Amino acid sequence: MTKAARQLVLLGSGRAHLHFLSTLAVHKLPEVQITLVSPSARQIVSDLVPALVAGHYRLENCALALEPLLRHTGVRWLQRQALRVHARHRTVILDDGTTLGYDWLSINTGALQDQAVLEQRMPGVREHGLFLRPSESFVTLWPRFAAMGDARALRIAVIGKGVEGFEIAMAVRHRFPQSAVTLITGATSPDADPLTPLQALLLDTLRANRITVLPDTVTALSGDAVELGCGAKLACDLPLIATGLQPPLWLQDSELALDAQGFLAVDLTLRSTSHCEVFAAGDVCSLVDTQSQSRYAYGQHAGPTLTRNLAALASSTNLQFVPHAAAVFSLIACGDRRAIASWGKHSTLGRWPWWIKQWIDRRMVLRLTKSPP
């Protein structure tokens, strides 16, 4: 009697899963049937969206078609979305009513911007805001707004903090040099820690590029203004929403262990802390060192580590820990042909970090789009 193939279900086509899929044409997993659940025929690489906004890339440079990547891999692709995960029964329910059973489940769907939650916090955001997530919707809508900015000077507000808010604000400034650009980062606590050297450099770079930075909250949006927590109104033609990332709703009743914010809790092997047959990578999960209970930075190591560990499941070998990346070398785009390079406590702004970032981005896209042997 032929032994039944074990079932590996991949939810989402995020960067870690793309890395894993790119290896399968050469290194197939023995006696494993792999099913990919992903609703779109292409995956927008979110890291490249700021370059698209700035005008450096066209859409085809930022989108990876799934079908060529899956060719010769033996992977079954279901162009659906997950509605529920039942960890106890090891099943996934899709939006067409299909139930998938699995021996192993890997999740790389990314985080979402929950528009219902954001609407409660900022009434009017659903009607007037342009959301960065999901990336597929954003890149579809962006050309219409880009045409407006090319035709006349706009008043643009980017709502969001962190690297994503910075990169989008800088990209908008480069694309529309005559427009007024404001970055609204949220209220700062009076007892907040002093700025790190990197945060200080980011702030100086924003101001040097004529981007107004407002440490305030947004309480509502209308057709021509953003209302702030201080009571003032900021005139605005285009609010870009780069805040409010939320875990997928179906995680809530999945019975998988979650962190305080509702993201999937995984250990240093990217395995669920509650269900050993479930793995996850990317924004959908929270990586925790279970011995110290501290959050753990892993930089760009998620894809290679997940790939090795999914292969280890099939061969019954030991799992590997994701390398600690507390001092990871990171590159932050500045809209123009410059970038900020950051390593540990050191950071610098210049053209050479931009060239390195371009080389890394293009190399990654080329590796995932070239025809497998």
Side-chain angles (χ1 to χ4, degrees):
M1 179 181 294
T2 303
K3 184 178 179 180
R6 291 165 293 181
Q7 301 295 316
L8 168 61
V9 174
L10 307 177
L11 286 189
S13 52
R15 190 163 179 173
H17 277 175
L18 292 177
H19 185 282
F20 171 62
L21 292 168
S22 71
T23 69
L24 292 177
V26 177
H27 303 289
K28 290 183 171 63
L29 302 189
E31 299 179 340
V32 177
Q33 171 62 57
I34 303 174
T35 301
L36 171 67
V37 178
S38 183
S40 178
R42 64 183 182 183
Q43 176 69 25
I44 305 300
V45 182
S46 59
D47 292 352
L48 304 184
V49 169
L52 172 72
V53 171
H56 298 308
Y57 285 168
R58 298 188 298 271
L59 178 56
E60 55 266 30
N61 303 127
C62 308
L64 300 174
L66 288 183
E67 193 278 329
L69 184 64
L70 298 178
R71 201 177 297 149
H72 310 300
T73 63
V75 173
R76 179 176 61 146
W77 172 31
L78 299 179
Q79 200 168 346
R80 315 299 316 181
Q81 285 185 321
L83 286 186
R84 296 193 69 183
V85 171
H86 292 289
R88 183 185 307 174
H89 304 296
R90 296 193 182 188
T91 57
V92 178
I93 299 176
L94 306 183
D95 55 2
D96 65 349
T98 301
T99 298
L100 296 178
Y102 63 82
D103 295 288
W104 304 301
L105 174 67
S106 183
I107 304 173
N108 188 209
T109 57
L112 304 172
Q113 287 181 296
D114 191 326
Q115 296 187 16
V117 171
L118 290 175
E119 180 67 23
Q120 292 178 350
R121 287 168 40 193
M122 300 181 288
V125 69
R126 266 181 161 172
E127 180 180 357
H128 303 291
L130 178 57
F131 292 84
L132 264 66
R133 307 285 182 96
S135 299
E136 179 69 42
S137 298
F138 175 79
V139 299
T140 301
L141 294 171
W142 173 247
R144 177 161 61 91
F145 292 97
M148 291 170 50
D150 292 336
R152 62 183 178 90
L154 297 176
R155 299 163 298 180
I156 302 172
V158 178
I159 302 171
K161 59 183 179 179
V163 170
E164 187 169 41
F166 172 88
E167 288 195 326
I168 289 297
M170 293 293 289
V172 167
R173 160 56 66 226
H174 179 73
R175 179 66 180 269
F176 310 124
Q178 303 305 318
S179 292
V181 182
T182 302
L183 177 62
I184 306 173
T185 60
T188 302
S189 171
D191 57 351
D193 294 332
L195 294 179
T196 66
L198 175 59
Q199 290 171 331
L201 179 57
L202 293 174
L203 186 59
D204 289 344
T205 304
L206 289 165
R207 289 171 174 167
N209 284 272
R210 298 179 293 112
I211 296 175
T212 303
V213 180
L214 295 180
D216 204 342
T217 58
V218 174
T219 58
L221 287 86
S222 61
D224 59 359
V226 171
E227 298 181 21
L228 303 174
C230 66
K233 285 188 177 183
L234 175 69
C236 178
D237 302 304
L238 174 58
L240 292 172
I241 314 303
T243 189
L245 291 185
Q246 302 287 333
L249 292 176
W250 45 261
L251 273 178
Q252 294 178 3
D253 55 0
S254 65
E255 299 177 333
L256 295 166
L258 308 177
D259 70 2
Q261 288 73 44
F263 293 94
L264 182 59
V266 297
D267 63 20
L268 301 189
T269 66
L270 302 180
R271 170 180 265 173
S272 165
T273 57
S274 61
H275 293 75
C276 63
E277 70 280 358
V278 177
F279 290 75
D283 292 338
V284 74
C285 67
S286 175
L287 186 61
V288 176
D289 182 341
T290 53
Q291 293 184 352
S292 65
Q293 295 302 312
S294 63
R295 288 184 63 85
Y296 200 84
Y298 58 91
Q300 301 299 318
H301 298 295
T305 301
L306 184 66
T307 296
R308 288 193 296 267
N309 286 346
L310 292 180
L313 294 174
S315 58
S316 300
T317 56
N318 292 332
L319 302 179
Q320 298 185 26
F321 287 172
V322 64
H324 191 198
V328 66
F329 180 69
S330 61
L331 296 163
I332 303 170
C334 294
D336 55 10
R337 297 180 183 274
R338 298 179 303 157
I340 292 173
S342 175
W343 174 265
K345 296 181 179 180
H346 306 284
S347 55
T348 185
L349 169 66
R351 292 191 179 276
W352 66 265
W354 185 84
W355 286 109
I356 293 176
K357 180 172 174 57
Q358 294 296 298
W359 179 80
I360 292 173
D361 291 343
R362 290 176 178 176
R363 181 170 175 265
M364 182 267 295
V365 173
L366 263 179
R367 183 177 63 80
L368 294 175
T369 55
K370 70 179 181 180
S371 299

